[in-house]
Every structure is written in C-alpha cells, then in structure tokens.
Amino acid sequence: MSHIYNLAIIGAGPAGIATAVESYLQGIRDIVLLEKDVNHNSTIRKYYKDNKRVDKDWKGQKVELDGRIYFVDGTKETTLDFFDEILDYHSVELQTHVEVQTIEKKDGYFEVFMAGKSIQAKKVVVTIGRMGKPNKPSYKIPSTIKKKIAYTLDGCSEGEKVLVVGGGDSAVEYAVDLSEKNEVAICYRRETFRRANPTNQTNIANAIMHKEVRPILGINIDGLEDDDGKVKVLFNGAEDETFDRVIYAIGGTTPSSFLAGSGIKELDGKPVHDDNYETNVAGLFVAGDITQESGGSIALGLNHGYAIACFIQGDCLVAK
Ligand SMILES: Cc1cc2nc3c(=O)[nH]c(=O)nc-3n(C[C@H](O)[C@H](O)[C@H](O)COP(=O)(O)OP(=O)(O)OC[C@H]3O[C@@H](n4cnc5c(N)ncnc54)[C@H](O)[C@@H]3O)c2cc1C
C-alpha cells in the first residue's frame, strides 16, 4: 500500500486553501491540496477583472470570520498575494495541474483518482466551486458566433459594443468596468439591481445616470442570431439589437456528475451535508461555493474550512 495522506483537499480556491491551512494550524499534518489549474484560485484569476475591488462582505452578506485566517477587503492582486503567502507559510503540499475525476471509498481510506494516477487519504474535502461550468443560457448559441459569447472579460477588446447579461455583482462590475472603453448595455430580467451589494448598486446607478451603461431592464432574451459575424440579440419586449460581444455573468452550476461519481447525494441542487459539512459518505466533506445554490463568498469558504478543520482535528489526525 502506498502512502496515505491524513487529508486530501480537492480544489485550491479560498475554501480549499482555508481547509488546508486551518487544519495545519489545528495540528494536522500530511495534507495534500489538489488543483486542476496551473495555480491556486483559478476562479479569482479567470473571472475577476484586473484590479477588481474584492469585498469581504460580498453580495452584502456580513460574515464574521471564525478561523485564524485574517482576510480583509482588497483587490484581485492583493487577495492572490494573500493566498500565496498563507500557502507559503504553512506546510501544505500543493499539487497543481491535477484534475480529480472521482473519489472512491475503500476500506478505511479514500482513493482519489486523477488522469493516470491516484492518491490515498484518510479524509477528503471537496472544494471545487461552481465556476468550472458557468451558467449558460437555455437557448442555442449559433456555432458561427460562439467566439463572440463569453463568460469572463477575456478576449474583450477596446471599442467593442458589448451586452452584459445578468444583474448580480459580477454582471454590474463587468458592465461598469467595460464602460470605460466600450459601448455597454446591461440586460437583466428584473427591474432593479437589488441583488448587487450597495457599492455596486451605487456604481451602476452612476454609470446609468452618466449614460456610460445603457440599462435594458425587466427584459428577457429569447435567442441569439448570427448577424454577419456579430451577435443579434432577440429581446422579448424590446427591439432586437446587434452587439460585437455578449458576456453572460449569471453564476455557476453544481458539479453534479462529480458529486454523483463520488457517491455524494444531492438535494435541491446542493450536496447533502450535516452541520460539520460531512456528506452522506462518512469522512468525505464539502465546503465553499459548492455548498451554496448561489451566493457563496471568500469569507464563507474560509469559515467552512475552519469548521471542518475543527471537526476533524480530534480524529486521530494530530501530528505525532
Ligand atoms: C466575477 C466574480 C467576482 C467575485 N467577487 C467577489 C468578492 O469581491 N468577494 C467575495 O468574497 N467573493 C467574490 N466572488 C465569489 C468568490 O469568488 C467565491 O465565493 C469563491 O471563489 C468560492 O471559493 P471556493 O473555494 O468554494 O471555489 P473556487 O474559488 O471556485 O475554487 C475552486 C477551485 O477548485 C478547482 N477545481 C475545480 N474542479 C477541480 C477538480 N476536478 N480537481 C481539482 N481542482 C478542481 C478550480 O480550478 C478552483 O481553483 C466573486 C465571484 C465572481 C465570479
């Protein structure tokens, strides 16, 4: 039998890093953190625009931090530096470029399978978030304009006429940011941006007032068409309009097949777990955005990590 880690954590986002570091601080050793991307925090790297303001109380949710990781408001860059530092400072083995495919419970331990290899661990925490598969519209996207449809700001160039779809914080931040160098409209099915936090509500109100962002509110989209290589948006209740690019910022999805493949039950779009974030499979935990239907945050993920670390600390994992 090869080496058995005390703890394996799948996904090195805020919840995964917090679970690793808080567990280390509780005295647990021999922890491995498995990340599919080339570096930790791929959601922050891919979906946050450069210099984005990072709010601790995201979406207006006030979260008191329970654990020992002192996270404060900052920017995308300071937040990534912060996670770099806490990983450097605590002895956690981070393996990048390893996508976990499934987790299998064996006799007294777990086997964690990746392409071409597997590792063993006594306990496993799944913190893979929901942004691996961003939410997509229900209507079909014509293949000829797929390159003009995006879920992040990547590939967006200056001077494009852009439609941002969504009404939460991410959509509002994308629209306001793009409006500095682009003609921007924002389409949201509701009449107001009440889901966004107060700062973002003020920012979008100002951008609309100064005609930097054009609101298309209380309107749904019926479909998209190719208009000579551009995207014609078929609005339900407003005139159709053509854009250079359409960006959907409508959240992410539950990784159901991953959960099912690992034996984790799902109810109402969320993995089933108890107050300690332990799933129906004893010793297998979930934390972070994956536990939320929508509306997770960095601070919430940090608290989940702390709770799990406290729970498993007494369980024969303490350093010798
Ligand atoms: C545009 C945008 C702006 C936001 N702004 C804020 C903000 O200002 N403040 C705030 O608190 N929150 C903000 N959020 C929300 C915040 O980013 C999330 O709540 C947080 O990242 C969730 O952490 P997590 O660890 O649960 O998941 P994630 O951060 O999604 O991390 C999951 C990690 O798991 C990895 N992974 C996925 N599948 C596998 C696999 N099979 N094997 C191995 N690794 C895998 C991923 O690559 C990723 O690194 C924002 C979100 C978005 C999209």
Side-chain angles (χ1 to χ4, degrees):
M1 169 92 59
S2 54
H3 177 76
I4 302 185
Y5 287 95
N6 277 327
L7 180 60
I9 299 153
I10 323 299
I17 296 176
T19 308
V21 168
E22 294 287 5
S23 298
Y24 181 87
L25 290 169
Q26 295 280 345
I28 299 164
R29 297 290 179 267
D30 207 12
I31 302 168
V32 65
L33 183 51
L34 304 167
E35 166 57 46
K36 77 169 176 189
D37 221 316
V38 289
N39 210 336
H40 60 83
N41 275 304
S42 78
T43 295
I44 294 181
R45 286 176 208 280
K46 275 190 200 148
Y47 288 91
Y48 291 19
K49 63 193 176 66
D50 292 345
N51 297 316
K52 170 184 149 47
R53 194 189 69 247
V54 174
D55 303 320
K56 180 184 144 282
D57 295 330
W58 177 238
K59 296 192 170 163
Q61 308 173 84
K62 277 226 159 309
V63 180
E64 295 300 328
L65 292 171
D66 300 327
R68 286 158 73 180
I69 297 175
Y70 185 66
F71 169 67
V72 291
D73 291 343
T75 63
K76 170 182 178 177
E77 290 72 17
T78 61
T79 304
L80 288 172
D81 287 348
F82 173 73
F83 283 114
D84 266 338
E85 267 171 42
I86 59 172
L87 273 172
D88 282 352
Y89 208 73
H90 303 92
S91 190
V92 171
E93 180 184 333
L94 172 64
Q95 292 187 18
T96 54
H97 236 276
V98 282
E99 178 164 6
V100 173
Q101 289 155 350
T102 187
I103 303 155
E104 214 176 290
K105 189 161 189 176
K106 301 261 165 98
D107 200 12
Y109 69 97
F110 290 92
E111 182 118 25
V112 177
F113 291 94
M114 296 151 269
K117 68 167 183 172
S118 69
I119 58 126
Q120 286 91 38
K122 290 183 191 163
K123 302 228 185 275
V124 178
V125 186
V126 180
T127 62
I128 60 177
R130 296 169 57 87
M131 294 309 287
K133 273 198 193 146
N135 264 322
K136 296 190 174 165
S138 52
Y139 39 84
K140 196 171 171 349
I141 298 170
S143 58
T144 47
I145 50 167
K146 276 211 166 120
K147 284 199 172 133
K148 306 285 178 175
I149 307 299
Y151 304 90
T152 71
L153 296 185
D154 284 358
C156 193
S157 19
E158 213 173 305
E160 283 186 325
K161 180 181 174 187
V162 184
L163 177 70
V164 176
V165 181
D169 286 294
S170 319
V172 164
E173 288 185 2
Y174 282 174
V176 171
D177 182 63
L178 285 169
S179 70
E180 284 172 22
K181 291 180 179 158
N182 297 276
E183 181 187 338
V184 178
I186 184 165
C187 176
Y188 185 37
R189 62 194 156 87
R190 297 184 202 274
E191 296 284 351
T192 64
F193 294 102
R194 252 181 304 175
R195 273 182 50 224
N197 69 26
T199 313
N200 282 330
Q201 286 193 34
T202 306
N203 291 349
I204 189 74
N206 282 336
I208 290 171
M209 191 170 69
H210 293 110
K211 300 200 181 325
E212 290 155 2
V213 172
R214 182 162 49 92
I216 305 175
L217 297 180
I219 299 272
N220 281 307
I221 296 174
D222 282 340
L224 305 178
E225 280 177 7
D226 182 340
D227 182 3
D228 221 2
K230 296 188 176 189
V231 189
K232 185 179 193 178
V233 180
L234 312 177
F235 290 111
N236 183 332
E239 237 177 71
D240 301 342
E241 193 176 338
T242 296
F243 295 85
D244 295 312
R245 179 177 298 273
V246 176
I247 301 176
Y248 290 91
I250 49 178
T253 56
T254 306
S256 298
S257 54
F258 184 98
L259 296 175
S262 302
I264 300 173
K265 286 190 185 145
E266 205 182 305
L267 185 67
D268 298 332
K270 291 182 290 182
V272 172
H273 61 80
D274 65 12
D275 291 348
N276 300 309
Y277 301 96
E278 191 168 21
T279 67
N280 54 294
V281 184
L284 182 54
F285 297 77
V286 281
D289 271 17
I290 199 178
T291 64
Q292 313 284 309
E293 204 173 341
S294 64
S297 72
I298 294 171
L300 273 178
L302 300 186
N303 280 353
H304 295 173
Y306 175 69
I308 292 171
C310 292
F311 179 71
I312 60 179
Q313 187 269 347
D315 224 20
C316 75
L317 297 180
V318 182
K320 292 182 198 111

